């Protein structure tokens, strides 16, 4: 069944009902196995335990490369992308959170009534997959509050995210990771899925938050030039975010405000998270790893026949491994979906 | 055995249906549902009753018979009492289990329902308690189990 990311509470609830309040999120491959451990408790404070160290994970990935070839191992995200996925879910902070807060307190939230210029945020490509606007709380489109008044997006960023290579032969992946990879036929592989996540962020900011889109070529220089041109032609201040020092330096050389966003180097042993963050984590892990397992169910980030709307509505495919769980999930989803239809009438 | 569910309408759907969904999960799947409404909340009641059918059938029940009674004046206390009383009596006459849900709607509707339920010794007096505003407006299956609690006042009072 297809489940929207914000409806994954249904799955968590049914796991809790089964007595699986404590469960492990696993990769189907025996080489990788356990990714992390969830202990469902209060809606706003459950526990996430990071049982796999980055270097242990990376050596599993290398073992896959030795046994099945480099190309197959690239289907697994790097340890650093695994970590960034957890940051994107909101469960872990970026590494230089305090520094960014100081930066935003200083340059964000302008007093427009006092004649200050509005502040727009722009991004480098390397942050888009990690939904950085939300992670940093730059702007809340519903309440209209936050550090910035809007966004500027260079089309070069969008073009750099478009690496949509697909799987046309599932055999090597099935051999390496198991049968669930039969679902990957004609679907995006490995890092291409990160590109898709980035594109989704780009489109969400552009369409929902009504960002200004400026034309540019690919490459840092062209992207920074485009932001700079917009900055000069409009009475606004642009703050640019990147994971890359050089990009930030270039932005500053153009007299724009640049801020580096740094990701943590290693998982903590454990942390607390809300159910909403855990749902987000499940969704993002399913996309980034392609497929993950929880007790009684397999969650596919991509599957045979996944379409553009599934991407746009952030849907995953949940296959319950027990008929009893399957029936309960179906029944819950029918209620949730009818409820939403009736509520918007 | 027949199972009766007595409730009332509200200005939003969630509080009207969430206790029912929780009760169905606890295997109290009603066969007959009575809903008190008024002209102001008519549309919400209509949507809520439609969802009640979805909830009951999703839990393996037959489509329930639903009776909606509308009172013109929402402060017509006598009519409110009459409605609850006659619904309970109809259930008792049929030898059904009877549950009264006091979660949704006006507080004085709930108070009257509560009193009528206690007086008549109904089997269940339900109230669904949501711990946080963060999940207001969400429906039961989409609210963390640890954030919503179906209280049966026949067990605690």
């Amino acid at each position: 069944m297809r489940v929207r990311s914000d409806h994954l509470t249904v799955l968590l609830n049914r796991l809790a009902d089964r007595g699986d309040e404590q469960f492990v999120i696993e990769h189907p491959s025996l080489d990788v196995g356990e990714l992390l451990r969830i202990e469902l408790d209060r809606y706003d404070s459950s526990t996430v335990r990071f049982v796999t160290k980055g270097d242990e994970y990376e050596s599993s990935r290398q073992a896959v490369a030795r046994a099945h070839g480099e190309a197959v191992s690239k289907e697994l995200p790097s340890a650093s992308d695994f970590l960034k996925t957890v940051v994107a879910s909101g469960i872990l902070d970026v590494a230089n959170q305090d520094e960014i807060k100081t930066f935003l307190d200083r340059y964000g939230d302008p007093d427009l009534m006092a004649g200050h210029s509005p502040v727009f945020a722009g991004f480098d490509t390397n942050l888009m997959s990690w939904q950085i606007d939300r992670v940093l709380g730059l702007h809340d489109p519903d309440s209209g509050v936050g550090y910035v008044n809007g966004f500027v997006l260079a089309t070069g960023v969008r073009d750099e995210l478009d690496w949509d290579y697909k799987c046309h032969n599932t055999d090597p992946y099935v051999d390496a990771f198991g049968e669930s990879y039969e679902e990957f036929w004609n679907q995006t592989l490995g890092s291409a899925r990160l590109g898709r996540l980035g594109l989704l962020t780009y489109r969400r900011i552009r369409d929902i938050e009504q960002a200004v889109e400026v034309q540019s070529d690919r490459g840092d220089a062209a992207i920074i030039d485009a932001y700079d041109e917009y900055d000069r032609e409009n009475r606004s201040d642009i703050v640019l975010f990147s994971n890359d020092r050089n990009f930030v330096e270039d932005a500053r050389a153009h007299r724009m405000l640049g801020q580096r966003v740094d990701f943590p180097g290693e998982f903590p042993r454990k942390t607390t998270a809300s159910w909403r963050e855990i749902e987000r984590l499940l969704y993002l892990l399913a996309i980034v790893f392609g497929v993950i397992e929880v007790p009684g169910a397999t969650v596919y980030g991509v599957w045979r026949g996944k379409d553009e709307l599934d991407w746009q509505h952030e849907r995953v495919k949940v296959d319950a491994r027990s008929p009893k769980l399957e029936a309960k999930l179906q029944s819950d989803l029918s209620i949730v979906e009818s409820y939403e239809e009736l509520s918007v009438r | 055995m027949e199972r009766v569910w007595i409730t009332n309408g509200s200005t939003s759907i969630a509080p009207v249906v969430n206790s029912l969904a929780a009760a169905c999960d606890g295997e109290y799947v009603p066969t007959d549902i009575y809903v008190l409404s008024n002209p102001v909340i008519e549309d919400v009641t209509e949507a809520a009753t439609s969802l009640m059918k979805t909830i009951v059938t999703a839990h393996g029940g037959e489509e329930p018979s639903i009776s909606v009674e509308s009172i013109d004046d929402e402060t017509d206390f006598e009519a409110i009492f009459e409605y609850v009383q006659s619904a309970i009596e109809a259930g008792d006459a049929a030898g059904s289990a009877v549950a009264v849900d006091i979660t949704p709607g006006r507080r004085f509707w709930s108070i009257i329902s509560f009193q009528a339920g206690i007086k008549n010794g109904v089997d269940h007096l339900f109230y669904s308690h949501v711990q946080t505003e963060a999940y207001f407006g969400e429906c039961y299956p989409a609210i963390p189990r640890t954030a919503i609690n179906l209280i049966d006042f026949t067990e605690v009072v």
Side-chain angles (χ1 to χ4, degrees), chain A residues 36-85:
Chain A
L36 36 81
R37 200 169 285 220
I38 308 286
E39 292 167 18
L40 291 176
D41 197 347
R42 283 175 51 95
Y43 68 92
D44 57 351
S45 63
S46 290
T47 304
V48 179
R49 284 182 198 278
F50 300 96
V51 284
T52 313
K53 292 259 166 263
D55 52 356
E56 288 165 12
Y57 172 79
E58 207 52 66
S59 43
S60 313
R61 202 166 167 253
Q62 281 158 16
V64 171
R66 283 192 299 276
H68 304 279
E70 192 80 21
V72 170
S73 75
K74 282 195 171 150
E75 167 54 28
L76 296 167
S78 65
S80 137
D81 284 340
F82 179 13
L83 240 156
K84 288 173 185 169
T85 308

Side-chain angles (χ1 to χ4, degrees), chain B residues 43-84:
Chain B
D43 286 353
V44 180
T45 304
E46 197 187 311
T49 51
S50 160
L51 197 61
M52 285 172 172
K53 291 177 190 162
T54 306
I55 290 169
V56 170
T57 51
H59 285 86
E62 293 287 316
E63 190 165 296
S65 92
I66 300 185
S67 327
V68 178
E69 183 152 332
S70 193
I71 50 169
D72 291 336
D73 175 7
E74 65 165 8
T75 58
D76 184 349
F77 306 128
E78 208 172 302
I80 301 163
F81 183 78
E82 285 276 302
Y83 149 80
V84 187

Side-chain angles (χ1 to χ4, degrees), chain A residues 116-163:
Chain A
H116 296 172
S117 306
V119 175
F120 291 95
F123 304 99
D124 187 5
T125 312
N126 55 31
L127 292 176
M128 297 307 278
S129 303
W130 315 114
Q131 312 185 346
I132 204 69
D133 59 312
R134 284 182 174 165
V135 166
L136 299 181
L138 293 180
H139 188 239
D140 179 351
D142 292 330
S143 59
V145 297
Y147 287 110
V148 301
N149 303 98
F151 298 93
V152 185
L153 296 169
T155 56
V157 169
R158 178 196 65 199
D159 297 340
E160 285 187 0
L161 289 164
D162 206 357
W163 358 304

Side-chain angles (χ1 to χ4, degrees), chain A residues 11-251:
Chain A
L11 176 61
L12 298 181
N13 275 334
R14 287 303 175 185
L15 291 180
D17 291 350
R18 281 161 51 105
D20 283 320
E21 295 96 339
Q22 300 189 11
F23 66 94
V24 173
I25 301 179
E26 286 180 299
H27 187 265
S29 143
L30 293 174
D31 290 318
V32 182
E34 205 165 327
L35 297 174
L36 36 81
R37 200 169 285 220
I38 308 286
E39 292 167 18
L40 291 176
D41 197 347
R42 283 175 51 95
Y43 68 92
D44 57 351
S45 63
S46 290
T47 304
V48 179
R49 284 182 198 278
F50 300 96
V51 284
T52 313
K53 292 259 166 263
D55 52 356
E56 288 165 12
Y57 172 79
E58 207 52 66
S59 43
S60 313
R61 202 166 167 253
Q62 281 158 16
V64 171
R66 283 192 299 276
H68 304 279
E70 192 80 21
V72 170
S73 75
K74 282 195 171 150
E75 167 54 28
L76 296 167
S78 65
S80 137
D81 284 340
F82 179 13
L83 240 156
K84 288 173 185 169
T85 308
V86 181
V87 173
S89 72
I91 288 175
L92 294 178
D93 284 341
V94 295
N96 57 340
Q97 182 85 9
D98 293 345
E99 182 191 322
I100 294 172
K101 188 174 182 309
T102 308
F103 172 84
L104 285 169
D105 285 341
R106 184 159 174 199
Y107 300 112
D109 200 12
D111 187 352
L112 301 181
M113 299 301 278
H116 296 172
S117 306
V119 175
F120 291 95
F123 304 99
D124 187 5
T125 312
N126 55 31
L127 292 176
M128 297 307 278
S129 303
W130 315 114
Q131 312 185 346
I132 204 69
D133 59 312
R134 284 182 174 165
V135 166
L136 299 181
L138 293 180
H139 188 239
D140 179 351
D142 292 330
S143 59
V145 297
Y147 287 110
V148 301
N149 303 98
F151 298 93
V152 185
L153 296 169
T155 56
V157 169
R158 178 196 65 199
D159 297 340
E160 285 187 0
L161 289 164
D162 206 357
W163 358 304
D164 198 13
Y165 45 89
K166 287 186 170 169
C167 178
H168 297 295
N169 177 15
T170 55
D171 292 351
Y173 302 100
V174 172
D175 287 348
F177 305 129
E179 276 177 19
S180 45
Y181 279 75
E182 278 169 9
E183 288 287 331
F184 280 51
W185 185 79
N186 207 26
Q187 291 299 324
T188 38
L189 281 172
S191 59
R193 290 195 300 274
L194 300 184
R196 283 303 281 270
L197 272 182
L199 270 183
L200 289 178
T201 304
Y202 185 98
R203 290 183 195 148
R204 171 175 54 77
I205 295 175
R206 183 189 62 195
D207 301 340
I208 298 175
E209 314 223 12
Q210 298 175 338
V212 180
E213 204 171 30
V214 291
Q215 297 298 314
S216 83
D217 287 335
R218 295 167 191 233
D220 285 4
I223 289 168
I224 289 173
D225 277 347
Y227 286 132
D228 189 18
E229 194 184 326
Y230 183 83
D231 196 25
R232 278 184 279 108
E233 286 177 5
N234 295 275
R235 225 181 127 270
S236 61
D237 289 326
I238 294 190
V239 289
L240 286 184
F241 296 93
S242 175
N243 181 226
D244 174 9
R245 263 179 232 288
N246 290 334
F247 186 97
V248 172
E249 288 308 319
D250 281 357

Side-chain angles (χ1 to χ4, degrees), chain B:
Chain B
M1 191 192 183
E2 307 290 289
R3 282 170 298 269
V4 169
W5 185 265
I6 302 168
T7 186
N8 49 254
S10 178
T11 48
S12 64
I13 306 172
V16 187
V17 297
N18 279 350
S19 330
L20 175 68
C24 284
D25 248 6
E27 314 216 319
Y28 188 89
V29 182
T31 49
D32 299 87
I33 297 177
Y34 295 86
V35 188
L36 180 66
S37 184
N38 70 49
V40 179
I41 57 172
E42 212 167 58
D43 286 353
V44 180
T45 304
E46 197 187 311
T49 51
S50 160
L51 197 61
M52 285 172 172
K53 291 177 190 162
T54 306
I55 290 169
V56 170
T57 51
H59 285 86
E62 293 287 316
E63 190 165 296
S65 92
I66 300 185
S67 327
V68 178
E69 183 152 332
S70 193
I71 50 169
D72 291 336
D73 175 7
E74 65 165 8
T75 58
D76 184 349
F77 306 128
E78 208 172 302
I80 301 163
F81 183 78
E82 285 276 302
Y83 149 80
V84 187
Q85 182 71 26
S86 62
I88 294 173
E89 281 168 4
D92 285 346
S96 310
V98 177
V100 176
D101 179 19
I102 58 165
T103 316
R106 290 289 199 191
R107 201 167 294 175
F108 54 86
W109 288 19
S110 298
I111 293 168
I112 295 171
S113 299
F114 186 90
Q115 193 217 26
I118 292 281
K119 250 189 182 168
N120 290 280
V122 295
D123 303 274
H124 305 284
L125 251 179
F126 286 125
Y127 178 78
S128 58
H129 174 243
V130 185
Q131 278 180 21
T132 163
E133 283 182 23
Y135 285 94
F136 279 4
E138 297 278 345
C139 77
Y140 177 76
I143 299 173
R145 286 287 191 272
T146 52
I148 184 167
N149 189 12
L150 184 69
I151 301 160
D152 185 349
F153 278 110
T154 62
E155 289 168 11
V156 293
V157 178

